[in-house]
Amino acid sequence: MARPTLLAGDMGGTKTLLALYDLEGETLIKRHQQRFVSADWSSLEPMLKAFVEERPKDVQAPTHGCLAVAGPVRNRQARITNLPWQLKEEDLAAAAGMQQLELVNDFGVLIYGLPHFGADQQLVLQEGSQDDGPLAILGAGTGLGMARGVRTNNGLMALSSEGGHREFAPRSDEEWQLACWLKQDLGVDRLSIERVVSGTGLGHIAHWLLQQPGAQSHPLRSVAEAWRRNMASDLPAQVSLAAEEGDPLLRHALDLWLSAYGSATGDLALQELCSGGLWVGGGTATKQLNGLQSALFLKAMRDKGRFKDFISGLKVTAVIDPEAGLFSSACRARMLAESGGTLA
């Protein structure tokens, strides 16, 4: 039987990546990719149609596909943040002339790629064992994404999560002071984990420290105040750079962030009992790779009382491929094709 051509997509409010894959042996090979400015299109259907029709002549039309979308998927439908698009699987498959197309949350879709990532797509943070148990991933970016995967008779099933919106639990007097200040600064009654453990959270931590009496003359104080008003500058990136260059205040901000991130990672491992492996991804993974490999992050991850040995025995891996979402969508499309439609 001919090998199918697979469509993979990773779309958000700003840009959409579409790609076509096929198989060489058991390996997924990307044959064609195109980047679209989402706002240039009235809806996703004409974009998909144009992409498929204008593919290279030596690439077959796709039969099955998966699109990772920035938002929740319910009843095979999704609405994209920042775009007036209502997506329906049936309509999208018809527009692209495909047998089957599935919409999956853009963080949850990573579950389908995890078992297939190569050495160039990931880096081991902690050596450990893996079995056929659940998988889990979390990743700090603008927010804090979480997802888990369970094995079924039909292969992996991804279960998306909003665990990043759980309550932040301070572990020290300093984290308590940070939490109290953040609630007041943000005007909220409860503080979610992602207010601290995210790229935005690193900005909040730095802004708090830069408000302290001894930091009035710090060169990033005015930058932090401007960032807090309109989020226009990339304060988290500047904090990381200054920390790497030896700024003691911003080194402390980064250490607070890494410790909170490590603790959240260990909490997810406990919640999911992810003996099949734990991954750390998101937009900050590559940027903060040294921090994720640090004793500070790993100690906070392992510091879970009676379950310290369990956490210490897990294999923990960082996802470093910037196109991990696209590749994972292709992995899911392959599952759909190989199931013969039974995963519909």
Side-chain angles (χ1 to χ4, degrees), residues 37-235:
V37 177
S38 301
D40 289 347
W41 297 79
S42 59
S43 65
L44 186 56
E45 285 84 353
M47 182 197 299
L48 278 176
K49 188 173 186 292
F51 175 71
V52 171
E53 291 180 348
E54 296 167 12
R55 70 188 185 278
K57 297 186 185 305
D58 60 342
V59 177
Q60 297 296 314
T63 57
H64 297 76
C66 174
L67 295 178
V69 296
V73 178
R74 296 188 179 93
N75 300 319
R76 302 185 184 180
Q77 300 182 38
R79 184 177 292 279
I80 304 302
T81 305
N82 300 327
L83 285 174
W85 294 359
Q86 181 69 39
L87 307 182
K88 297 182 180 180
E89 291 181 0
E90 184 178 2
D91 295 344
L92 295 170
M98 300 194 314
Q99 295 177 33
Q100 187 177 7
L101 183 144
E102 186 175 74
L103 299 171
V104 182
N105 171 264
D106 62 347
F107 202 84
V109 78
L110 294 171
I111 291 293
Y112 296 119
L114 297 181
H116 307 291
F117 286 148
D120 60 333
Q121 295 173 290
Q122 58 187 339
L123 179 72
V124 175
L125 303 176
Q126 174 178 280
E127 295 288 355
S129 62
Q130 286 178 284
D131 59 23
D132 291 334
L135 313 167
I137 183 170
L138 83 167
T142 303
L144 180 64
M146 295 185 184
R148 64 272 204 196
V150 294
R151 302 178 193 277
T152 73
N153 292 335
N154 292 320
L156 269 177
M157 176 186 293
L159 301 171
S160 297
S161 167
E162 290 295 345
H165 293 280
R166 291 191 320 234
E167 195 97 12
F168 174 68
R171 297 167 298 138
S172 66
D173 287 344
E174 188 173 34
E175 284 191 353
W176 175 258
Q177 293 168 24
L178 168 64
C180 292
W181 182 87
L182 263 179
K183 285 182 180 180
Q184 183 175 14
D185 186 61
L186 297 171
V188 297
D189 294 326
R190 67 177 295 276
L191 197 69
S192 65
I193 301 171
E194 73 169 18
R195 297 286 197 179
V196 177
V197 182
S198 62
T200 308
L202 177 56
H204 285 314
I205 294 170
H207 181 218
W208 172 58
L209 291 177
L210 288 164
Q211 300 300 306
Q212 305 305 314
Q216 287 96 334
S217 61
H218 195 285
L220 279 188
R221 179 169 174 142
S222 60
V223 174
E225 291 171 348
W227 172 84
R228 178 62 187 89
R229 286 193 298 270
N230 56 31
M231 304 289 183
S233 66
D234 193 356
L235 177 63

Side-chain angles (χ1 to χ4, degrees), residues 6-25:
L6 308 168
L7 185 144
D10 190 358
M11 66 170 306
T14 303
K15 65 176 173 54
T16 297
L17 295 177
L18 296 176
L20 296 174
Y21 289 77
D22 62 20
L23 291 165
E24 284 188 2

